[in-house]
Amino acid sequence: MTLSGTTDAYPTRPEHTFRSVFPVLALCWLAVFFDGMDVNIYGAVMPHMLEDDGLGLTTSTAGTIGSWTTFGMLIGALTAGNITDWLGRRPVLACSVTLFSLGSALCAMAGTTTLFGAGRFIAGLGLGGLMPLCLAMVMEFAPPRRAALTTGLLMTSYHTGGMAATVLGLTVAPSAGWRWVFWAGVLPAMIAVPLLLKLLPESPGVLLSRGQREKADQVADRYGLPRPTAVASPAAGARGRLDAVLALFRPESRWATPLLWLASFCGLLLVYGVSTWLPTMMKASGYGMTSSVSFLLVINAGGIVGMLIAGRAADRFGPVRISAIWFTLTAVGALLLKSHLSLGLTYAVVAVTGVWLFSAQVMVYATSNSLYRDSERATGLGWVTGVGRAGAVVGPSLVGTLASNGSESWGFIAFALAGVTGAIAIALVPLAGRLGNPARTGPVPVAARTDA
């Protein structure tokens, strides 16, 4: 019996560890795996698509279509975080996966670049909604003081999916054609959606916001989480969603929020610019078709290693410090890739750049987790990823414009500048927190801890 006289649904609560929340992490890992596969498919097959005279794709159009994808992501990210209080995270995640699977099917059938671009935009709507929701779910269920490591583990799936896309680009596209690679993008709707709807628990905080106190407590007890309180629960209704956005600019975070947005802009410019254009840029630099596509495989492999390293390092030293260092190292890697190095050395530089590039952005997410309160987490992550998607729009379009003018190598300069700017923005977040809360005498939370 509890102190209030009611019976606990789970009188022997499991300890709040990785093991107790593994089902949530595993299901979100699967969803993000398919996210990474879909995002990287375009870059993996683009060299083959450019050689398909029947489609009529040019380097300039390819960059524009890449921006359509990320513009869809921007809309999806800004929308998803603000509708989960009345639809729930689980159904929105399922809808997100279904959308990008439908978009992939449309791309596979497209006979014109316009129809292909429409398919990528639809896919972007689903991709944009999925990532912030999976991040919010994993952070909510993560064990104390392990949010950054858990986030890093989740994001290894994105790069595993990117590697799977590259393998499809290397094996299926040359023999069966690039369309069959996009048909593989329909698999998420067949595999992940049924599992998410059947096995993924709903967020206790969202359940509480919908007035379902008993269900919220049952889920919290089942996974060893603290039972949610009204403070940790997002407010329901349109007014609640507006208040959640305004809360991002409360005194403690009013200056830090724009800096997080800028860092996310730079990080996603790098992530999607590289994912879309790296094979084509390397091919233009004189490397062969197979080697150029293989670089995408190598950089995603580096990304997996980077997530594991960055997660542990951030739990010890703080995500702000790690993100700033990683952004800086990414800029160095981009400048090295501008030079035509030997093939072996280029593979090594691509691999270590992957270690830094992707996890720099993920540590921005980990920073937002410790900056925002529980009731603001989904909205805060949604806006950090959503506004950052503007960088994802700019990256592919910018490099596409450079490529159409025969200046692909300048794309590496653009990536280096984005890395330096991202490092400065994220490094200033602790100072911004002190400016917003001058009474604080201790360390700023975002620089010192990663648990919420």
Side-chain angles (χ1 to χ4, degrees):
M1 299 287 288
T2 63
L3 293 176
S4 60
T6 60
T7 303
D8 259 329
Y10 291 84
T12 55
R13 289 164 52 90
E15 186 180 356
H16 190 191
T17 62
F18 276 121
R19 183 176 180 179
S20 67
V21 301
F22 178 78
V24 176
L25 178 60
L27 288 166
C28 289
W29 195 98
L30 178 64
V32 176
F33 167 86
F34 285 122
D35 180 306
M37 188 178 80
D38 194 281
V39 168
N40 285 273
I41 276 178
Y42 186 39
V45 301
M46 187 188 295
H48 299 281
M49 294 178 66
L50 290 170
E51 295 179 352
D52 183 353
D53 295 332
L55 184 64
L57 187 70
T58 65
T59 53
S60 179
T61 306
T64 301
I65 290 176
S67 294
W68 289 357
T69 309
T70 49
F71 183 65
M73 289 180 181
L74 189 154
I75 296 174
L78 294 180
T79 302
N82 290 316
I83 64 174
T84 53
D85 61 320
W86 58 279
L87 288 180
R89 288 180 186 166
R90 181 170 56 186
V92 173
L93 277 174
C95 287
S96 296
V97 175
T98 302
L99 270 176
F100 69 72
S101 293
L102 288 174
S104 190
L106 185 58
C107 288
M109 296 183 293
T112 66
T113 55
T114 299
L115 190 58
F116 182 86
R120 293 306 293 164
F121 175 77
I122 292 171
L125 292 174
L127 294 167
L130 184 144
M131 185 66 75
L133 291 180
C134 282
L135 285 165
M137 284 290 289
V138 166
M139 288 177 179
E140 180 177 7
F141 281 78
R145 295 178 296 279
R146 288 294 180 266
L149 177 58
T150 308
T151 303
L153 289 172
L154 172 68
M155 292 305 295
T156 61
S157 62
Y158 176 92
H159 303 291
T160 306
M163 293 173 69
T166 308
V167 170
L168 290 172
L170 287 169
T171 58
V172 176
S175 57
W178 61 266
R179 294 182 186 275
W180 281 102
V181 180
F182 282 98
W183 279 120
V186 180
L187 292 175
M190 303 168 61
I191 298 174
V193 170
L195 292 174
L196 290 171
L197 292 176
K198 183 176 177 62
L199 301 176
L200 186 69
E202 185 53 87
S203 157
V206 170
L207 288 171
L208 181 61
S209 74
R210 298 162 67 183
Q212 298 175 303
R213 159 61 74 179
E214 184 177 350
K215 288 185 178 180
D217 290 345
Q218 287 176 354
V219 172
D221 292 345
R222 184 182 305 128
Y223 293 94
L225 276 64
R227 290 186 171 184
T229 64
V231 173
S233 171
R239 178 63 188 177
R241 291 191 291 276
L242 177 60
D243 288 343
V245 175
L246 294 177
L248 304 181
F249 294 92
R250 59 190 170 87
E252 295 86 348
S253 58
R254 65 169 56 138
W255 300 112
T257 289
L259 288 170
L260 282 177
W261 289 357
L262 177 58
S264 184
F265 174 93
C266 295
L268 289 177
L269 185 154
L270 286 163
V271 168
Y272 289 97
V274 169
S275 297
T276 302
W277 282 104
L278 182 63
T280 303
M281 290 170 66
M282 299 306 282
K283 186 172 182 290
S285 296
Y287 297 95
M289 173 73 82
T290 300
S291 296
S292 297
V293 177
S294 297
F295 288 134
L296 197 59
L297 179 71
V298 171
I299 202 167
N300 276 291
I304 293 175
V305 176
M307 294 299 170
L308 300 175
I309 295 174
R312 289 188 175 276
D315 279 333
R316 181 174 181 180
F317 300 108
V320 168
R321 186 175 301 168
I322 298 304
S323 183
I325 293 173
W326 262 230
F327 268 122
T328 303
L329 292 174
T330 298
V332 174
L335 291 176
L336 288 174
L337 289 177
K338 188 176 183 297
S339 305
H340 191 89
L341 307 172
S342 65
L343 184 60
L345 186 56
T346 300
Y347 272 119
V349 173
V350 169
V352 295
T353 301
V355 170
W356 306 318
L357 187 156
F358 299 104
S359 48
Q361 170 64 19
V362 173
M363 290 305 105
V364 175
Y365 298 148
T367 300
S368 68
N369 176 62
S370 55
L371 175 68
Y372 299 124
R373 298 173 297 193
D374 290 350
S375 59
E376 302 159 6
R377 183 176 292 123
T379 300
L381 280 169
W383 278 85
V384 167
T385 57
V387 174
R389 295 295 178 189
V393 172
V394 170
S397 179
L398 173 62
V399 181
T401 300
L402 293 172
S404 65
N405 294 323
S407 304
E408 291 92 339
S409 63
W410 282 94
F412 294 113
I413 300 294
F415 292 153
L417 290 174
V420 171
T421 304
I424 294 172
I426 195 69
L428 289 176
V429 167
L431 175 61
R434 286 190 288 270
L435 289 176
N437 189 12
R440 178 180 292 276
T441 57
V444 178
V446 295
R449 72 179 186 90
T450 58
D451 56 308

